[in-house]
């Protein structure tokens, strides 16, 4: 099945997104990056490194596990129950601009859950959404502010994002 | 690192006996994530919203009952409590009739503590709800063993190979049984220490080191777990006197000098100061007794969450 993004293109996309973030927010003051587990976390770390290159400031990063906020715990499981990982937001999100980072934006339900999770930590000034891949098929009125690449897919397909930190290599593949 | 299960195979938690090592690992890892919730400004997640959990406590309990209630509330479940006093039980209703009555109100889970061993198992056979054993007679107290293991893991980073001395009233202790089952499954080395009258039969066959010498049990130990003398369960003469018991089996700083230099001291509570444990030890730098209480909430959240979500293949309900 086709690889729709390789390591080089992924790196370029992240650099571009970092520039867009700095440009749109006129700097990085009060910015914080929060990655959604699992693959949003390394992406947030990489964006923080890119932003540091551009603006010379290291913005704080955190990790959010949205498992406990999902809306499908009651439904018959299609696969094994997701393993709960630790949420780690070691700073106050009050009055900050939070950049929520995920690998694939699909139905929007994960992001809905992430909003609920985030609001339990405080009241951010605003939340912006970063997605490496937007594959369409939204079920909720949610859109990304920064997108690495839009990839048209059918619902039967699946999009696999692989990252060096977790999977040993950087690539995005469409399967099915 | 040990393998981790992807879910629990059963819908009930009746005892450590029924859990595999990968399932225990899954519960402990999930508890690690749950613990963070207790540090947030809003200590609540919506996971079990709309679920009803009944807490049936037929025996006195403070920390276990409160710990379960707090865990349930932090997961947003609706909870109902029933204690023996002031309920139909005091009018002579049997356990099964109480259970059938509750079942008619269709709770999703029932947490039960009962003075008779096997009461939760009986409930599990007739109820659609998931049953969680919060201590049954002298049989098991699985969530206590899980929170003890979590506390050891937090302080020692591992369970396999740990030298754990468990001292006290082994005969009447469900905490002891559950801990032995868990620790041996996870590869720890358990030493059991008690007066001969309080040693249950068959321990050596389970591969435990059994001794009546406190010095021997504590020597080189990474963990010393003291158990409460359960005077309310002793019908007969098991001990000459409390004072003699403390002299021979009470944990003092002097005895602890024989243990590993970074030894931790545990006690499931409630403590009898001056009977099984010296105040200087209970309040000393070795003591992780209050950590155990805090960890109890996280471990119970993990158990409730995993039982609620897992449509385990082995579940026959």
């Amino acid at each position: 099945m086709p690889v729709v993004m390789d390591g080089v293109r992924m790196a370029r996309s992240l650099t571009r997104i970092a520039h867009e973030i700095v440009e749109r927010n006129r700097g990085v003051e009060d910015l914080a990056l929060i990655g959604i587990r699992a693959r949003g976390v390394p992406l947030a770390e990489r964006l923080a490194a890119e932003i540091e290159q551009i603006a010379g400031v290291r913005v704080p990063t955190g990790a959010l596990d949205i498992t406990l906020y999902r809306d499908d715990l009651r439904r018959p499981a299609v696969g094994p129950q997701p393993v709960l990982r630790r949420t780690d937001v070691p700073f106050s999100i009050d009055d900050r601009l939070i950049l929520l980072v995920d690998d694939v934006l699909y139905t929007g339900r994960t992001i809905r859950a992430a909003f609920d999770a985030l609001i339990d930590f405080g009241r951010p000034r605003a939340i912006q959404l970063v997605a490496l891949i937007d594959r369409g098929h939204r079920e909720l009125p949610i859109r990304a502010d920064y997108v690495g690449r839009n990839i048209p897919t059918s619902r039967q397909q699946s999009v696999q994002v692989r990252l060096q930190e977790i999977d040993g290599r950087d690539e995005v593949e469409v399967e099915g | 690192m040990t393998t981790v299960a992807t879910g629990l195979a059963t819908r009930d938690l009746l005892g450590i006996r029924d859990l595999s090592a990968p399932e225990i690992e899954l519960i402990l890892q999930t508890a690690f994530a749950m613990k963070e919730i207790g540090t947030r400004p809003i200590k609540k997640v919506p996971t079990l919203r709309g679920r009803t959990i009944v807490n049936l406590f037929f025996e006195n309990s403070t920390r276990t009952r409160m710990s379960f209630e707090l865990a349930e509330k932090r997961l947003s479940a609706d909870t109902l409590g029933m204690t023996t006093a002031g309920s139909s039980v005091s009018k002579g209703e049997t356990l099964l009739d109480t259970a059938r009555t509750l079942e008619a109100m269709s709770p999703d889970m029932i947490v039960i503590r009962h003075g008779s061993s096997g009461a939760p198992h009986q409930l599990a056979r007739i109820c659609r709800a998931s049953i969680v054993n919060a201590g049954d007679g002298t049989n098991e107290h699985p969530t206590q063993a899980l929170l003890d293991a979590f506390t050891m893991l937090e302080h020692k980073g591992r369970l396999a190979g740990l030298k754990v001395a468990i001292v006290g009233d082994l005969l009447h202790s469900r905490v002891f049984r559950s801990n032995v089952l868990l620790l041996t499954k996870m590869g720890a080395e358990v030493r059991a220490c008690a007066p001969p009258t309080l040693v249950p039969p068959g321990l050596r066959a389970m591969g435990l080191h059994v001794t009546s010498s406190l010095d021997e049990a504590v020597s080189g130990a990474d963990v010393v777990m003291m158990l409460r003398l359960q005077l309310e369960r002793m019908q007969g003469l098991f001990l000459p006197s409390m004072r003699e018991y403390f002299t021979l089996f009470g944990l003092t700083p002097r005895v602890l000098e024989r243990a590993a230099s970074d030894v931790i001291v545990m006690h499931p509570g409630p403590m009898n100061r001056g009977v099984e444990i010296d105040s200087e030890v209970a309040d000393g730098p070795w003591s992780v007794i209050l950590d155990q209480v805090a960890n109890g909430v996280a471990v119970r959240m993990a158990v409730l969450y995993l039982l609620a979500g897992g449509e385990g293949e082995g579940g026959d309900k």
Side-chain angles (χ1 to χ4, degrees), chain A residues 72-118:
Chain A
D72 55 1
L73 186 66
R74 283 218 99 133
R75 298 163 69 92
V78 275
Q81 211 171 350
V83 176
L84 185 64
R85 305 269 176 219
R86 199 177 173 89
T87 289
D88 186 18
V89 181
F91 47 84
S92 163
I93 69 165
D94 284 340
D95 298 318
R96 272 188 198 274
L97 176 77
I98 300 297
L99 286 148
L100 201 55
V101 185
D102 204 2
D103 54 351
V104 180
L105 179 57
Y106 181 29
T107 62
R109 289 180 191 269
T110 299
I111 305 303
R112 197 279 314 155
F115 289 162
D116 279 357
L118 214 48

Side-chain angles (χ1 to χ4, degrees), chain A residues 12-84:
Chain A
R12 274 195 210 123
S13 292
L14 290 173
T15 308
R16 173 177 52 78
I17 291 173
H19 278 281
E20 286 176 10
I21 290 170
V22 176
E23 184 186 0
R24 177 161 162 186
N25 298 298
R26 297 185 189 85
V28 295
E29 208 182 329
D30 298 333
L31 221 70
L33 289 151
I34 294 182
I36 298 175
R37 288 202 188 271
R39 287 175 183 70
V41 178
L43 288 175
E45 292 293 337
R46 289 192 203 181
L47 282 171
E50 293 280 353
I51 290 170
E52 188 173 11
Q53 291 273 312
I54 300 161
V57 179
R58 183 78 187 186
V59 300
T61 55
L64 201 62
D65 186 297
I66 55 101
T67 311
L68 296 172
Y69 293 84
R70 291 164 68 104
D71 57 10
D72 55 1
L73 186 66
R74 283 218 99 133
R75 298 163 69 92
V78 275
Q81 211 171 350
V83 176
L84 185 64

Side-chain angles (χ1 to χ4, degrees), chain A residues 116-133:
Chain A
D116 279 357
L118 214 48
I119 299 301
D120 279 356
F121 281 90
R123 188 176 189 281
R125 176 159 61 81
I127 301 175
Q128 294 175 358
L129 179 59
V130 182
L132 182 64
I133 302 294

Side-chain angles (χ1 to χ4, degrees), chain B residues 171-234:
Chain B
L171 185 63
H172 300 96
S173 177
R174 54 196 176 207
V175 175
F176 172 66
R177 281 166 151 275
S178 287
N179 260 298
V180 166
L181 288 166
L182 189 150
L183 290 168
T184 48
K185 278 181 196 207
M186 302 310 277
E189 178 197 318
V190 182
R191 299 126 170 227
C193 176
T197 48
L198 292 175
V199 175
L203 290 187
R204 284 190 179 87
M206 292 178 70
L208 301 198
H209 179 75
V210 184
T211 175
S212 289
S213 155
L214 183 61
D215 283 352
E216 189 185 324
V218 168
S219 181
D222 301 299
V223 179
V224 179
M225 185 185 295
M226 303 306 292
L227 299 176
R228 184 175 64 92
L229 271 190
Q230 304 199 33
L231 300 170
E232 75 276 18
R233 289 189 215 278
M234 291 185 194

